[in-house]
Amino acid sequence: MSERSFRFSHAITREPAPSISRGLRAVDTGTPDLSVMLANHRDYIAALRSTGAEVITLAPQDAYPDSVFVEDTALCLPEGAIIMRPGAPSRLGEAAEIAPMLRVLYSEVHEITAPGHIEGGDILVTEREILVGLSERTNRAGVEQLTALTAPWGYSVRIVETPPGVLHFKTDCSLLDAETILSTRRLAASGCFHDYRVIHTAEGEDAAANTIRFNDLVLMPAGFPRTRDALVKAGYDLREIGNSECAKLDGGMSCLSLRFTPR
Ligand code: CIR
């Protein structure tokens, strides 16, 4: 079976900027510490590189406080890249900033246009489909455009719901392998993963749901021992990465990179 949904030759990250202190957050739990975030970011990049992938790190962009969360700006598939149109007004300009790099890497690059809005955090690519969660940041017009753009490449898009009060669909889930999803119970209860194998985050550890499967590794936020133990028991090769500062801005493992294998 193909493993294109978790085998990648490349990743793009962006270094956090001092303006990260003004990053968006649903609840204020304190100002992120840039030096701690930078150290965690370096660990994250080192883990990606340890799998043999090429990791491109873009320069910090102080004009965009949330620009470290580069996942929200694009969807990168083997066949081509699609520039997103973030639903948060302060993040709209980030999409144009990522486009030149993607045009170097891909011959086919498309863009989501108004009135569509979609952020990468709402998109889960599995081996057989693309799930997109409607959210405060992603609307139907955006998903319809994504569906039309990816259909010629052979993808089918399924619209699902992001739980109320949750930033992105993938805040609550992640792909572990071709058949397996890690999910919070509140999201899995919607039935959206009925034909996948589901591993639930442990009670009280919903914030562990946003991991990434990147080649042979699963990167997960540090501090969730019972979910970690369940994943180890299931046979995954885990790397725990400090996420205390990104978590203050509702960010996790997937937000920090674009992962892809251009054809
Ligand atoms: C935001 O609210 O847009 C950022 N503070 C966090 C974005 C996290 N991105 C992601 O989960 N893909």
Side-chain angles (χ1 to χ4, degrees):
M1 188 193 253
S2 149
E3 297 186 333
R4 66 180 177 180
S5 57
F6 59 91
R7 299 251 165 240
F8 305 108
S9 63
H10 286 70
I12 296 178
T13 62
R14 187 183 290 286
E15 215 177 273
S19 61
I20 195 73
S21 57
R22 302 195 306 274
L24 298 172
R25 64 207 80 176
V27 178
D28 198 353
T29 58
T31 304
D33 179 319
L34 180 61
S35 59
V36 175
M37 193 185 278
L38 276 166
N40 292 336
H41 200 249
R42 281 192 287 272
D43 292 346
Y44 179 88
I45 291 170
L48 297 181
R49 283 205 176 115
S50 75
T51 70
E54 180 180 335
V55 182
I56 299 164
T57 298
L58 303 173
Q61 277 194 318
D62 214 42
Y64 296 105
D66 286 290
S67 55
V68 67
F69 302 118
V70 73
E71 169 179 65
D72 294 317
T73 62
L75 175 65
C76 297
L77 296 167
E79 298 82 0
I82 301 171
I83 313 290
M84 299 288 111
R85 191 160 178 272
S90 68
R91 303 200 60 193
L92 256 181
E94 290 177 38
E97 297 290 339
I98 202 79
M101 174 54 65
L102 295 176
R103 290 189 200 282
V104 168
L105 292 158
Y106 279 100
S107 52
E108 221 179 313
V109 178
H110 301 281
E111 288 177 21
I112 302 294
T113 55
H117 280 295
I118 183 160
E119 294 191 357
D122 281 317
I123 305 176
L124 181 72
V125 179
T126 78
E127 215 51 49
R128 49 185 130 126
E129 60 181 342
I130 300 177
L131 286 88
V132 188
L134 298 174
S135 73
E136 294 287 313
R137 305 285 182 87
T138 293
N139 62 16
R140 257 177 212 279
V143 186
E144 279 161 14
Q145 290 180 42
L146 186 79
T147 305
L149 288 168
T150 56
W153 297 335
Y155 292 90
S156 68
V157 170
R158 176 154 64 99
I159 295 186
V160 288
E161 296 290 332
T162 302
V166 172
L167 175 60
H168 286 130
F169 181 63
K170 277 192 304 192
T171 306
D172 267 33
C173 67
S174 37
L175 183 84
L176 291 172
D177 60 41
E179 291 302 323
T180 314
I181 308 281
L182 174 67
S183 176
T184 61
R185 283 183 191 276
R186 69 184 166 197
L187 175 59
S190 72
C192 61
F193 302 128
H194 67 276
D195 51 358
Y196 292 86
R197 181 167 81 111
V198 175
I199 297 180
H200 293 111
T201 50
E203 204 185 325
E205 295 190 352
D206 283 356
N210 182 268
T211 71
I212 52 168
R213 174 71 192 269
F214 190 82
N215 297 325
D216 287 335
L217 294 184
V218 173
L219 274 62
M220 73 173 289
F224 302 99
R226 287 178 304 129
T227 303
R228 177 198 60 207
D229 291 351
L231 294 178
V232 168
K233 201 169 155 209
Y236 296 103
D237 189 359
L238 287 189
R239 293 290 178 281
E240 290 177 276
I241 308 287
N243 193 54
S244 57
E245 307 315 295
C246 287
K248 291 174 184 166
L249 304 177
D250 311 317
M253 295 294 107
S254 75
C255 338
L256 295 173
S257 59
L258 288 166
R259 304 162 292 280
F260 56 102
T261 306
R263 239 187 218 153

